[in-house]
Amino acid sequence: MKTFKLVGLDVLEKSGDDLATKDIAFFDALIIDREVDHSRWLIEAYIPKKYQDFFQRKLSDKQELVIQVQITKESNPKATILVEVQSVNNIDDDMNVILMGDMVNRERQQVEETLQDLIEAGYQGASLLDKFKEKNRENIF
């Protein structure tokens, strides 16, 4: 396993007909390359409690998220990961969230364009995520 400091965390979400980036502020975070699981990454972020409803809802619904992370330093390009929320834990007045997912080795612009195309084609919710995963497996973008 290899552990890295996380310096940026964004969630990509549908906003009307567009794809919006939701910046997740955090106090501290790390990302672990589990290596044995072929591109499985574990993210743990210590974040303000204002995000609790958002992440708790994703956990309860077992809904996958498309996130963008910056690893080690802000000058590094963002990496895209398709994750599931593993746990949401209260820590005093704040919380931590644990995410697990697969790295999508694509440029951000290509990912956003593909997601936008799928949204414009009428995909949403679970069908959007299913089609996104299918496209990823096909290495189309």
Side-chain angles (χ1 to χ4, degrees):
M1 282 197 268
K2 294 180 184 173
T3 303
F4 305 93
K5 182 156 182 68
L6 200 67
V7 296
L9 175 61
D10 300 322
V11 174
L12 299 179
E13 292 185 297
K14 182 180 176 185
S15 176
D17 289 335
D18 295 322
L19 190 60
T21 301
K22 179 178 187 169
D23 180 46
I24 305 295
F26 56 86
F27 303 112
D28 200 10
L30 55 87
I31 181 166
I32 300 170
D33 179 355
R34 298 193 40 174
E35 292 181 325
V36 296
D37 291 339
H38 303 289
S39 299
R40 292 293 287 176
W41 293 77
L42 178 86
I43 297 109
E44 181 174 6
Y46 179 51
I47 62 178
K49 204 171 243 179
K50 69 180 182 180
Y51 298 110
Q52 185 168 14
D53 289 342
F54 174 78
F55 284 108
Q56 192 64 52
R57 192 170 44 253
K58 302 300 182 189
L59 175 65
S60 297
D61 295 345
K62 297 183 190 283
Q63 185 178 1
E64 291 182 310
L65 301 169
V66 178
I67 65 169
Q68 300 260 303
V69 296
Q70 277 182 294
I71 301 170
T72 309
K73 55 186 177 179
E74 291 180 13
S75 61
N76 284 341
K78 292 184 178 181
T80 304
I81 305 175
L82 185 61
V83 299
E84 289 184 6
V85 178
Q86 301 296 302
S87 67
V88 175
N89 307 291
N90 291 323
I91 301 175
D92 295 324
D93 293 332
D94 300 305
M95 60 179 272
N96 85 333
V97 62
I98 298 175
L99 310 169
M100 176 92 65
D102 297 311
M103 184 81 64
V104 179
N105 292 321
R106 311 288 182 251
E107 293 296 321
R108 177 187 173 135
Q109 181 177 356
Q110 291 172 315
V111 170
E112 289 179 356
E113 288 173 5
T114 299
L115 286 171
Q116 184 66 40
D117 290 346
L118 292 173
I119 290 167
E120 289 173 4
Y123 293 99
Q124 56 184 322
S127 65
L128 172 63
L129 288 169
D130 290 342
K131 193 67 172 177
F132 179 81
K133 286 191 264 185
E134 178 184 317
K135 294 278 187 190
N136 184 42
R137 281 191 298 275
E138 294 172 0
N139 293 321
I140 288 178
F141 58 92

PDB file of all heavy atoms in Angstrom, residues 105-135:
ATOM      1  N   ASN A 105      -8.552   6.493 -15.354  1.00  0.00           N
ATOM      2  CA  ASN A 105      -7.341   7.102 -15.891  1.00  0.00           C
ATOM      3  C   ASN A 105      -7.628   7.878 -17.167  1.00  0.00           C
ATOM      4  O   ASN A 105      -7.256   7.503 -18.256  1.00  0.00           O
ATOM      5  CB  ASN A 105      -6.280   6.032 -16.170  1.00  0.00           C
ATOM      6  CG  ASN A 105      -5.770   5.419 -14.902  1.00  0.00           C
ATOM      7  OD1 ASN A 105      -5.590   6.108 -13.905  1.00  0.00           O
ATOM      8  ND2 ASN A 105      -5.552   4.117 -14.920  1.00  0.00           N
ATOM      9  N   ARG A 106      -8.295   8.983 -16.988  1.00  0.00           N
ATOM     10  CA  ARG A 106      -8.660   9.833 -18.109  1.00  0.00           C
ATOM     11  C   ARG A 106      -8.441  11.285 -17.716  1.00  0.00           C
ATOM     12  O   ARG A 106      -8.468  11.643 -16.544  1.00  0.00           O
ATOM     13  CB  ARG A 106     -10.127   9.661 -18.492  1.00  0.00           C
ATOM     14  CG  ARG A 106     -10.556   8.227 -18.650  1.00  0.00           C
ATOM     15  CD  ARG A 106      -9.966   7.613 -19.922  1.00  0.00           C
ATOM     16  NE  ARG A 106     -10.442   6.270 -20.068  1.00  0.00           N
ATOM     17  CZ  ARG A 106      -9.690   5.205 -19.900  1.00  0.00           C
ATOM     18  NH1 ARG A 106      -8.448   5.303 -19.587  1.00  0.00           N
ATOM     19  NH2 ARG A 106     -10.195   4.006 -20.065  1.00  0.00           N
ATOM     20  N   GLU A 107      -8.316  12.131 -18.698  1.00  0.00           N
ATOM     21  CA  GLU A 107      -8.210  13.556 -18.434  1.00  0.00           C
ATOM     22  C   GLU A 107      -9.572  14.088 -17.994  1.00  0.00           C
ATOM     23  O   GLU A 107     -10.611  13.642 -18.481  1.00  0.00           O
ATOM     24  CB  GLU A 107      -7.735  14.310 -19.681  1.00  0.00           C
ATOM     25  CG  GLU A 107      -6.317  13.996 -20.088  1.00  0.00           C
ATOM     26  CD  GLU A 107      -5.304  14.431 -19.049  1.00  0.00           C
ATOM     27  OE1 GLU A 107      -5.477  15.504 -18.440  1.00  0.00           O
ATOM     28  OE2 GLU A 107      -4.353  13.675 -18.827  1.00  0.00           O
ATOM     29  N   ARG A 108      -9.565  15.063 -17.114  1.00  0.00           N
ATOM     30  CA  ARG A 108     -10.796  15.632 -16.572  1.00  0.00           C
ATOM     31  C   ARG A 108     -11.741  16.107 -17.667  1.00  0.00           C
ATOM     32  O   ARG A 108     -12.936  15.837 -17.632  1.00  0.00           O
ATOM     33  CB  ARG A 108     -10.434  16.795 -15.644  1.00  0.00           C
ATOM     34  CG  ARG A 108     -11.643  17.501 -15.096  1.00  0.00           C
ATOM     35  CD  ARG A 108     -11.244  18.722 -14.326  1.00  0.00           C
ATOM     36  NE  ARG A 108     -12.446  19.443 -13.963  1.00  0.00           N
ATOM     37  CZ  ARG A 108     -12.684  19.945 -12.790  1.00  0.00           C
ATOM     38  NH1 ARG A 108     -11.794  19.842 -11.855  1.00  0.00           N
ATOM     39  NH2 ARG A 108     -13.795  20.578 -12.548  1.00  0.00           N
ATOM     40  N   GLN A 109     -11.221  16.792 -18.652  1.00  0.00           N
ATOM     41  CA  GLN A 109     -12.071  17.330 -19.711  1.00  0.00           C
ATOM     42  C   GLN A 109     -12.800  16.201 -20.439  1.00  0.00           C
ATOM     43  O   GLN A 109     -13.984  16.312 -20.734  1.00  0.00           O
ATOM     44  CB  GLN A 109     -11.236  18.146 -20.693  1.00  0.00           C
ATOM     45  CG  GLN A 109     -12.064  18.764 -21.803  1.00  0.00           C
ATOM     46  CD  GLN A 109     -11.227  19.623 -22.734  1.00  0.00           C
ATOM     47  OE1 GLN A 109     -10.040  19.817 -22.520  1.00  0.00           O
ATOM     48  NE2 GLN A 109     -11.848  20.121 -23.775  1.00  0.00           N
ATOM     49  N   GLN A 110     -12.105  15.103 -20.716  1.00  0.00           N
ATOM     50  CA  GLN A 110     -12.739  13.987 -21.402  1.00  0.00           C
ATOM     51  C   GLN A 110     -13.838  13.366 -20.546  1.00  0.00           C
ATOM     52  O   GLN A 110     -14.899  13.012 -21.056  1.00  0.00           O
ATOM     53  CB  GLN A 110     -11.697  12.929 -21.763  1.00  0.00           C
ATOM     54  CG  GLN A 110     -10.728  13.390 -22.834  1.00  0.00           C
ATOM     55  CD  GLN A 110      -9.600  12.402 -23.019  1.00  0.00           C
ATOM     56  OE1 GLN A 110      -9.030  11.913 -22.055  1.00  0.00           O
ATOM     57  NE2 GLN A 110      -9.281  12.118 -24.270  1.00  0.00           N
ATOM     58  N   VAL A 111     -13.587  13.249 -19.252  1.00  0.00           N
ATOM     59  CA  VAL A 111     -14.589  12.689 -18.350  1.00  0.00           C
ATOM     60  C   VAL A 111     -15.819  13.586 -18.314  1.00  0.00           C
ATOM     61  O   VAL A 111     -16.954  13.119 -18.438  1.00  0.00           O
ATOM     62  CB  VAL A 111     -14.002  12.506 -16.928  1.00  0.00           C
ATOM     63  CG1 VAL A 111     -15.094  12.147 -15.936  1.00  0.00           C
ATOM     64  CG2 VAL A 111     -12.930  11.439 -16.935  1.00  0.00           C
ATOM     65  N   GLU A 112     -15.602  14.886 -18.164  1.00  0.00           N
ATOM     66  CA  GLU A 112     -16.721  15.821 -18.108  1.00  0.00           C
ATOM     67  C   GLU A 112     -17.505  15.819 -19.415  1.00  0.00           C
ATOM     68  O   GLU A 112     -18.736  15.848 -19.403  1.00  0.00           O
ATOM     69  CB  GLU A 112     -16.226  17.227 -17.772  1.00  0.00           C
ATOM     70  CG  GLU A 112     -15.769  17.348 -16.332  1.00  0.00           C
ATOM     71  CD  GLU A 112     -15.252  18.725 -15.978  1.00  0.00           C
ATOM     72  OE1 GLU A 112     -15.160  19.600 -16.868  1.00  0.00           O
ATOM     73  OE2 GLU A 112     -14.934  18.928 -14.797  1.00  0.00           O
ATOM     74  N   GLU A 113     -16.804  15.750 -20.547  1.00  0.00           N
ATOM     75  CA  GLU A 113     -17.492  15.703 -21.837  1.00  0.00           C
ATOM     76  C   GLU A 113     -18.333  14.439 -21.972  1.00  0.00           C
ATOM     77  O   GLU A 113     -19.463  14.480 -22.455  1.00  0.00           O
ATOM     78  CB  GLU A 113     -16.485  15.797 -22.981  1.00  0.00           C
ATOM     79  CG  GLU A 113     -15.875  17.174 -23.147  1.00  0.00           C
ATOM     80  CD  GLU A 113     -14.752  17.214 -24.172  1.00  0.00           C
ATOM     81  OE1 GLU A 113     -14.490  16.187 -24.843  1.00  0.00           O
ATOM     82  OE2 GLU A 113     -14.125  18.280 -24.299  1.00  0.00           O
ATOM     83  N   THR A 114     -17.788  13.309 -21.551  1.00  0.00           N
ATOM     84  CA  THR A 114     -18.533  12.052 -21.627  1.00  0.00           C
ATOM     85  C   THR A 114     -19.754  12.096 -20.736  1.00  0.00           C
ATOM     86  O   THR A 114     -20.857  11.719 -21.154  1.00  0.00           O
ATOM     87  CB  THR A 114     -17.634  10.863 -21.243  1.00  0.00           C
ATOM     88  OG1 THR A 114     -16.553  10.797 -22.170  1.00  0.00           O
ATOM     89  CG2 THR A 114     -18.413   9.560 -21.268  1.00  0.00           C
ATOM     90  N   LEU A 115     -19.585  12.575 -19.501  1.00  0.00           N
ATOM     91  CA  LEU A 115     -20.730  12.687 -18.606  1.00  0.00           C
ATOM     92  C   LEU A 115     -21.775  13.649 -19.167  1.00  0.00           C
ATOM     93  O   LEU A 115     -22.974  13.376 -19.110  1.00  0.00           O
ATOM     94  CB  LEU A 115     -20.283  13.131 -17.212  1.00  0.00           C
ATOM     95  CG  LEU A 115     -19.583  12.056 -16.386  1.00  0.00           C
ATOM     96  CD1 LEU A 115     -18.998  12.661 -15.116  1.00  0.00           C
ATOM     97  CD2 LEU A 115     -20.522  10.919 -16.048  1.00  0.00           C
ATOM     98  N   GLN A 116     -21.329  14.758 -19.719  1.00  0.00           N
ATOM     99  CA  GLN A 116     -22.261  15.721 -20.312  1.00  0.00           C
ATOM    100  C   GLN A 116     -23.025  15.080 -21.467  1.00  0.00           C
ATOM    101  O   GLN A 116     -24.241  15.239 -21.584  1.00  0.00           O
ATOM    102  CB  GLN A 116     -21.510  16.966 -20.792  1.00  0.00           C
ATOM    103  CG  GLN A 116     -22.413  18.053 -21.339  1.00  0.00           C
ATOM    104  CD  GLN A 116     -23.325  18.652 -20.291  1.00  0.00           C
ATOM    105  OE1 GLN A 116     -22.913  18.862 -19.160  1.00  0.00           O
ATOM    106  NE2 GLN A 116     -24.566  18.899 -20.644  1.00  0.00           N
ATOM    107  N   ASP A 117     -22.323  14.330 -22.327  1.00  0.00           N
ATOM    108  CA  ASP A 117     -22.980  13.641 -23.439  1.00  0.00           C
ATOM    109  C   ASP A 117     -24.039  12.660 -22.945  1.00  0.00           C
ATOM    110  O   ASP A 117     -25.133  12.559 -23.519  1.00  0.00           O
ATOM    111  CB  ASP A 117     -21.955  12.898 -24.302  1.00  0.00           C
ATOM    112  CG  ASP A 117     -21.066  13.828 -25.106  1.00  0.00           C
ATOM    113  OD1 ASP A 117     -21.393  15.035 -25.217  1.00  0.00           O
ATOM    114  OD2 ASP A 117     -20.024  13.354 -25.602  1.00  0.00           O
ATOM    115  N   LEU A 118     -23.713  11.914 -21.882  1.00  0.00           N
ATOM    116  CA  LEU A 118     -24.664  10.946 -21.338  1.00  0.00           C
ATOM    117  C   LEU A 118     -25.888  11.648 -20.749  1.00  0.00           C
ATOM    118  O   LEU A 118     -27.020  11.183 -20.919  1.00  0.00           O
ATOM    119  CB  LEU A 118     -23.982  10.073 -20.278  1.00  0.00           C
ATOM    120  CG  LEU A 118     -22.908   9.119 -20.808  1.00  0.00           C
ATOM    121  CD1 LEU A 118     -22.196   8.439 -19.648  1.00  0.00           C
ATOM    122  CD2 LEU A 118     -23.492   8.100 -21.764  1.00  0.00           C
ATOM    123  N   ILE A 119     -25.665  12.771 -20.080  1.00  0.00           N
ATOM    124  CA  ILE A 119     -26.775  13.548 -19.521  1.00  0.00           C
ATOM    125  C   ILE A 119     -27.661  14.065 -20.642  1.00  0.00           C
ATOM    126  O   ILE A 119     -28.886  13.977 -20.586  1.00  0.00           O
ATOM    127  CB  ILE A 119     -26.252  14.701 -18.640  1.00  0.00           C
ATOM    128  CG1 ILE A 119     -25.631  14.134 -17.354  1.00  0.00           C
ATOM    129  CG2 ILE A 119     -27.357  15.697 -18.312  1.00  0.00           C
ATOM    130  CD1 ILE A 119     -24.818  15.135 -16.561  1.00  0.00           C
ATOM    131  N   GLU A 120     -27.034  14.600 -21.693  1.00  0.00           N
ATOM    132  CA  GLU A 120     -27.794  15.107 -22.833  1.00  0.00           C
ATOM    133  C   GLU A 120     -28.554  13.998 -23.551  1.00  0.00           C
ATOM    134  O   GLU A 120     -29.592  14.241 -24.159  1.00  0.00           O
ATOM    135  CB  GLU A 120     -26.871  15.843 -23.797  1.00  0.00           C
ATOM    136  CG  GLU A 120     -26.387  17.173 -23.245  1.00  0.00           C
ATOM    137  CD  GLU A 120     -25.335  17.845 -24.110  1.00  0.00           C
ATOM    138  OE1 GLU A 120     -25.015  17.331 -25.204  1.00  0.00           O
ATOM    139  OE2 GLU A 120     -24.827  18.893 -23.673  1.00  0.00           O
ATOM    140  N   ALA A 121     -28.036  12.762 -23.463  1.00  0.00           N
ATOM    141  CA  ALA A 121     -28.724  11.629 -24.081  1.00  0.00           C
ATOM    142  C   ALA A 121     -29.886  11.142 -23.217  1.00  0.00           C
ATOM    143  O   ALA A 121     -30.589  10.205 -23.586  1.00  0.00           O
ATOM    144  CB  ALA A 121     -27.729  10.483 -24.324  1.00  0.00           C
ATOM    145  N   GLY A 122     -30.078  11.787 -22.064  1.00  0.00           N
ATOM    146  CA  GLY A 122     -31.230  11.457 -21.229  1.00  0.00           C
ATOM    147  C   GLY A 122     -30.940  10.555 -20.046  1.00  0.00           C
ATOM    148  O   GLY A 122     -31.851  10.200 -19.299  1.00  0.00           O
ATOM    149  N   TYR A 123     -29.694  10.155 -19.868  1.00  0.00           N
ATOM    150  CA  TYR A 123     -29.370   9.300 -18.727  1.00  0.00           C
ATOM    151  C   TYR A 123     -29.360  10.125 -17.453  1.00  0.00           C
ATOM    152  O   TYR A 123     -28.929  11.275 -17.444  1.00  0.00           O
ATOM    153  CB  TYR A 123     -28.000   8.637 -18.911  1.00  0.00           C
ATOM    154  CG  TYR A 123     -27.971   7.636 -20.036  1.00  0.00           C
ATOM    155  CD1 TYR A 123     -27.470   7.981 -21.282  1.00  0.00           C
ATOM    156  CD2 TYR A 123     -28.451   6.345 -19.845  1.00  0.00           C
ATOM    157  CE1 TYR A 123     -27.448   7.060 -22.324  1.00  0.00           C
ATOM    158  CE2 TYR A 123     -28.430   5.419 -20.883  1.00  0.00           C
ATOM    159  CZ  TYR A 123     -27.929   5.788 -22.112  1.00  0.00           C
ATOM    160  OH  TYR A 123     -27.912   4.879 -23.122  1.00  0.00           O
ATOM    161  N   GLN A 124     -29.835   9.507 -16.363  1.00  0.00           N
ATOM    162  CA  GLN A 124     -29.793  10.170 -15.069  1.00  0.00           C
ATOM    163  C   GLN A 124     -29.811   9.113 -13.977  1.00  0.00           C
ATOM    164  O   GLN A 124     -30.129   7.957 -14.226  1.00  0.00           O
ATOM    165  CB  GLN A 124     -30.946  11.148 -14.907  1.00  0.00           C
ATOM    166  CG  GLN A 124     -32.315  10.543 -15.092  1.00  0.00           C
ATOM    167  CD  GLN A 124     -33.395  11.598 -15.010  1.00  0.00           C
ATOM    168  OE1 GLN A 124     -33.308  12.515 -14.214  1.00  0.00           O
ATOM    169  NE2 GLN A 124     -34.426  11.457 -15.824  1.00  0.00           N
ATOM    170  N   GLY A 125     -29.440   9.513 -12.777  1.00  0.00           N
ATOM    171  CA  GLY A 125     -29.459   8.605 -11.631  1.00  0.00           C
ATOM    172  C   GLY A 125     -28.642   7.359 -11.870  1.00  0.00           C
ATOM    173  O   GLY A 125     -27.527   7.404 -12.391  1.00  0.00           O
ATOM    174  N   ALA A 126     -29.202   6.224 -11.518  1.00  0.00           N
ATOM    175  CA  ALA A 126     -28.490   4.947 -11.616  1.00  0.00           C
ATOM    176  C   ALA A 126     -28.137   4.607 -13.066  1.00  0.00           C
ATOM    177  O   ALA A 126     -27.060   4.060 -13.333  1.00  0.00           O
ATOM    178  CB  ALA A 126     -29.326   3.828 -11.003  1.00  0.00           C
ATOM    179  N   SER A 127     -29.018   4.927 -14.000  1.00  0.00           N
ATOM    180  CA  SER A 127     -28.729   4.602 -15.402  1.00  0.00           C
ATOM    181  C   SER A 127     -27.545   5.425 -15.913  1.00  0.00           C
ATOM    182  O   SER A 127     -26.760   4.941 -16.732  1.00  0.00           O
ATOM    183  CB  SER A 127     -29.948   4.800 -16.291  1.00  0.00           C
ATOM    184  OG  SER A 127     -30.334   6.157 -16.335  1.00  0.00           O
ATOM    185  N   LEU A 128     -27.398   6.663 -15.424  1.00  0.00           N
ATOM    186  CA  LEU A 128     -26.246   7.487 -15.796  1.00  0.00           C
ATOM    187  C   LEU A 128     -24.961   6.832 -15.310  1.00  0.00           C
ATOM    188  O   LEU A 128     -23.993   6.697 -16.061  1.00  0.00           O
ATOM    189  CB  LEU A 128     -26.378   8.902 -15.215  1.00  0.00           C
ATOM    190  CG  LEU A 128     -25.153   9.811 -15.368  1.00  0.00           C
ATOM    191  CD1 LEU A 128     -24.851  10.081 -16.834  1.00  0.00           C
ATOM    192  CD2 LEU A 128     -25.374  11.116 -14.620  1.00  0.00           C
ATOM    193  N   LEU A 129     -24.946   6.394 -14.063  1.00  0.00           N
ATOM    194  CA  LEU A 129     -23.743   5.756 -13.524  1.00  0.00           C
ATOM    195  C   LEU A 129     -23.446   4.445 -14.232  1.00  0.00           C
ATOM    196  O   LEU A 129     -22.289   4.144 -14.538  1.00  0.00           O
ATOM    197  CB  LEU A 129     -23.891   5.541 -12.019  1.00  0.00           C
ATOM    198  CG  LEU A 129     -23.807   6.810 -11.190  1.00  0.00           C
ATOM    199  CD1 LEU A 129     -24.235   6.545  -9.761  1.00  0.00           C
ATOM    200  CD2 LEU A 129     -22.425   7.412 -11.231  1.00  0.00           C
ATOM    201  N   ASP A 130     -24.483   3.651 -14.529  1.00  0.00           N
ATOM    202  CA  ASP A 130     -24.274   2.394 -15.242  1.00  0.00           C
ATOM    203  C   ASP A 130     -23.662   2.637 -16.616  1.00  0.00           C
ATOM    204  O   ASP A 130     -22.709   1.968 -17.020  1.00  0.00           O
ATOM    205  CB  ASP A 130     -25.592   1.629 -15.392  1.00  0.00           C
ATOM    206  CG  ASP A 130     -26.099   1.077 -14.077  1.00  0.00           C
ATOM    207  OD1 ASP A 130     -25.306   0.982 -13.113  1.00  0.00           O
ATOM    208  OD2 ASP A 130     -27.307   0.743 -14.002  1.00  0.00           O
ATOM    209  N   LYS A 131     -24.206   3.607 -17.339  1.00  0.00           N
ATOM    210  CA  LYS A 131     -23.703   3.907 -18.682  1.00  0.00           C
ATOM    211  C   LYS A 131     -22.286   4.469 -18.603  1.00  0.00           C
ATOM    212  O   LYS A 131     -21.433   4.143 -19.433  1.00  0.00           O
ATOM    213  CB  LYS A 131     -24.639   4.899 -19.382  1.00  0.00           C
ATOM    214  CG  LYS A 131     -24.378   5.021 -20.856  1.00  0.00           C
ATOM    215  CD  LYS A 131     -24.713   3.726 -21.580  1.00  0.00           C
ATOM    216  CE  LYS A 131     -24.650   3.903 -23.069  1.00  0.00           C
ATOM    217  NZ  LYS A 131     -24.893   2.663 -23.799  1.00  0.00           N
ATOM    218  N   PHE A 132     -22.003   5.311 -17.592  1.00  0.00           N
ATOM    219  CA  PHE A 132     -20.654   5.858 -17.400  1.00  0.00           C
ATOM    220  C   PHE A 132     -19.661   4.725 -17.176  1.00  0.00           C
ATOM    221  O   PHE A 132     -18.587   4.694 -17.774  1.00  0.00           O
ATOM    222  CB  PHE A 132     -20.644   6.828 -16.219  1.00  0.00           C
ATOM    223  CG  PHE A 132     -19.295   7.411 -15.931  1.00  0.00           C
ATOM    224  CD1 PHE A 132     -18.823   8.482 -16.663  1.00  0.00           C
ATOM    225  CD2 PHE A 132     -18.496   6.890 -14.926  1.00  0.00           C
ATOM    226  CE1 PHE A 132     -17.580   9.026 -16.411  1.00  0.00           C
ATOM    227  CE2 PHE A 132     -17.249   7.424 -14.666  1.00  0.00           C
ATOM    228  CZ  PHE A 132     -16.791   8.494 -15.407  1.00  0.00           C
ATOM    229  N   LYS A 133     -20.015   3.764 -16.323  1.00  0.00           N
ATOM    230  CA  LYS A 133     -19.122   2.621 -16.059  1.00  0.00           C
ATOM    231  C   LYS A 133     -18.922   1.790 -17.322  1.00  0.00           C
ATOM    232  O   LYS A 133     -17.820   1.326 -17.601  1.00  0.00           O
ATOM    233  CB  LYS A 133     -19.683   1.755 -14.928  1.00  0.00           C
ATOM    234  CG  LYS A 133     -19.517   2.385 -13.568  1.00  0.00           C
ATOM    235  CD  LYS A 133     -19.829   1.401 -12.469  1.00  0.00           C
ATOM    236  CE  LYS A 133     -21.233   1.552 -12.018  1.00  0.00           C
ATOM    237  NZ  LYS A 133     -21.579   0.714 -10.865  1.00  0.00           N
ATOM    238  N   GLU A 134     -19.998   1.607 -18.086  1.00  0.00           N
ATOM    239  CA  GLU A 134     -19.901   0.857 -19.336  1.00  0.00           C
ATOM    240  C   GLU A 134     -18.921   1.547 -20.297  1.00  0.00           C
ATOM    241  O   GLU A 134     -18.069   0.898 -20.896  1.00  0.00           O
ATOM    242  CB  GLU A 134     -21.284   0.748 -19.976  1.00  0.00           C
ATOM    243  CG  GLU A 134     -21.302   0.025 -21.303  1.00  0.00           C
ATOM    244  CD  GLU A 134     -22.698   0.047 -21.926  1.00  0.00           C
ATOM    245  OE1 GLU A 134     -23.698  -0.161 -21.198  1.00  0.00           O
ATOM    246  OE2 GLU A 134     -22.776   0.294 -23.141  1.00  0.00           O
ATOM    247  N   LYS A 135     -19.054   2.855 -20.435  1.00  0.00           N
ATOM    248  CA  LYS A 135     -18.150   3.615 -21.303  1.00  0.00           C
ATOM    249  C   LYS A 135     -16.715   3.496 -20.806  1.00  0.00           C
ATOM    250  O   LYS A 135     -15.789   3.375 -21.607  1.00  0.00           O
ATOM    251  CB  LYS A 135     -18.554   5.092 -21.362  1.00  0.00           C
ATOM    252  CG  LYS A 135     -19.863   5.348 -22.023  1.00  0.00           C
ATOM    253  CD  LYS A 135     -19.710   5.372 -23.496  1.00  0.00           C
ATOM    254  CE  LYS A 135     -21.011   5.805 -24.155  1.00  0.00           C
ATOM    255  NZ  LYS A 135     -20.967   5.608 -25.584  1.00  0.00           N
TER     256      LYS A 135
END
